[in-house]
Amino acid sequence: PVINNLNFSYDDAYCVTVGGTDRCVFVWKTDIEEEIRERKTYPDSFDKMDLFANELNPISIGLTSVIGEETESFTAFKANDSVDHSVAASVIHSMPWKGAVSEPSIWKEPENIGAEPDASLELRFAYGYRGWDCRNNVSFADSCFEIVYHIGAMGIVFDTSKNTQIINTEHDSDILSLSVHPAGHTVATGELAANAKIVIWDANTGITIL
């Protein structure tokens, strides 16, 4: 299907499209109310979009449409030849959800919508193992049931008998090397970074020692 024409109502609340081969006219409800809320909450995110919109020239095309019992006038916008289309593309790629996601029709905005949530996250289990570019990075802690390894920036002691983990998250970048004390109580891990650091931590608690 091909759309030959597209226009918005004066308040941007509706959009009218005219098909090419099927010659059908559709009236769409936009998410302008959501955008207004986003502009108030995140004004810096719309700087690029505003720069692009300011380079558009409005031209009247005299198209009218009847919605219910009301007749509304529409205005089309024709892009100037000097418009930097890369700006428009960057806006589309930076906010791909625009036009694709909207709130339910029964949605009512809560009063504390912009407030910080009264919640926090706690890492309980980490999945995976880095083995594609590492060697000798698996060992044992205090027993043969406690396997020491790493994934991402996390050093892990996995107790296979209890299916539990002790995790150290002191690193700022991916861990690339690991060594365990012969007694199994201490672990040393090294990260991959420009200013890489070595972290020494307790295998029984995950607490950083040095």
Side-chain angles (χ1 to χ4, degrees):
V2 177
I3 297 177
N4 283 351
N5 210 333
L6 181 149
N7 293 279
F8 290 89
S9 61
Y10 72 96
D11 59 354
D12 290 338
Y14 295 92
C15 171
V16 176
T17 58
V18 180
T21 55
D22 57 8
R23 299 182 181 180
C24 292
V25 178
F26 287 88
V27 179
W28 310 79
K29 191 178 187 307
T30 69
D31 58 353
I32 186 64
E33 295 179 357
E34 178 186 353
E35 182 173 329
I36 292 174
R37 291 197 304 268
E38 291 179 355
R39 284 180 178 272
K40 292 180 179 179
T41 308
Y42 310 104
D44 296 338
S45 301
F46 290 85
D47 289 346
K48 288 185 178 181
M49 181 177 292
D50 291 338
L51 289 174
F52 176 72
N54 289 336
E55 297 181 358
L56 299 178
N57 294 329
I59 58 171
S60 176
I61 64 169
L63 176 65
T64 61
S65 176
V66 177
I67 303 177
E69 297 179 358
E70 299 179 0
T71 302
E72 298 184 353
S73 298
F74 293 84
T75 303
F77 291 86
K78 181 179 180 181
N80 193 321
D81 292 338
S82 63
V83 170
D84 184 359
H85 294 283
S86 63
V87 175
S90 65
V91 171
I92 294 173
H93 288 295
S94 64
M95 293 186 292
W97 68 88
K98 297 298 295 179
V101 180
S102 61
E103 67 272 13
S105 58
I106 60 174
W107 164 260
K108 291 185 179 180
E109 185 175 294
E111 296 180 357
N112 62 341
I113 189 170
E116 180 180 352
D118 184 17
S120 60
L121 297 177
E122 178 184 358
L123 179 61
R124 295 184 177 180
F125 206 94
Y127 294 88
Y129 158 73
R130 181 158 185 158
W132 65 90
D133 58 352
C134 301
R135 297 294 182 272
N136 300 322
N137 63 333
V138 178
S139 187
F140 293 97
D142 292 336
S143 71
C144 61
F145 297 103
E146 297 177 338
I147 304 174
V148 185
Y149 59 99
H150 59 86
I151 179 63
M154 298 173 291
I156 301 169
V157 178
F158 177 40
D159 190 335
T160 58
S161 64
K162 300 177 182 178
N163 196 34
T164 58
Q165 289 181 336
I166 295 173
I167 304 175
N168 178 275
T169 58
E170 190 69 26
H171 284 280
D172 300 321
S173 184
D174 286 0
I175 297 174
L176 198 63
S177 58
L178 177 148
S179 181
V180 180
H181 190 278
H185 53 66
T186 307
V187 182
T189 47
E191 64 184 28
L192 179 64
N195 298 315
K197 63 182 179 182
I198 296 175
V199 177
I200 300 176
W201 48 283
D202 191 324
N204 296 308
T205 63
I207 298 175
T208 300
I209 300 173
L210 181 63

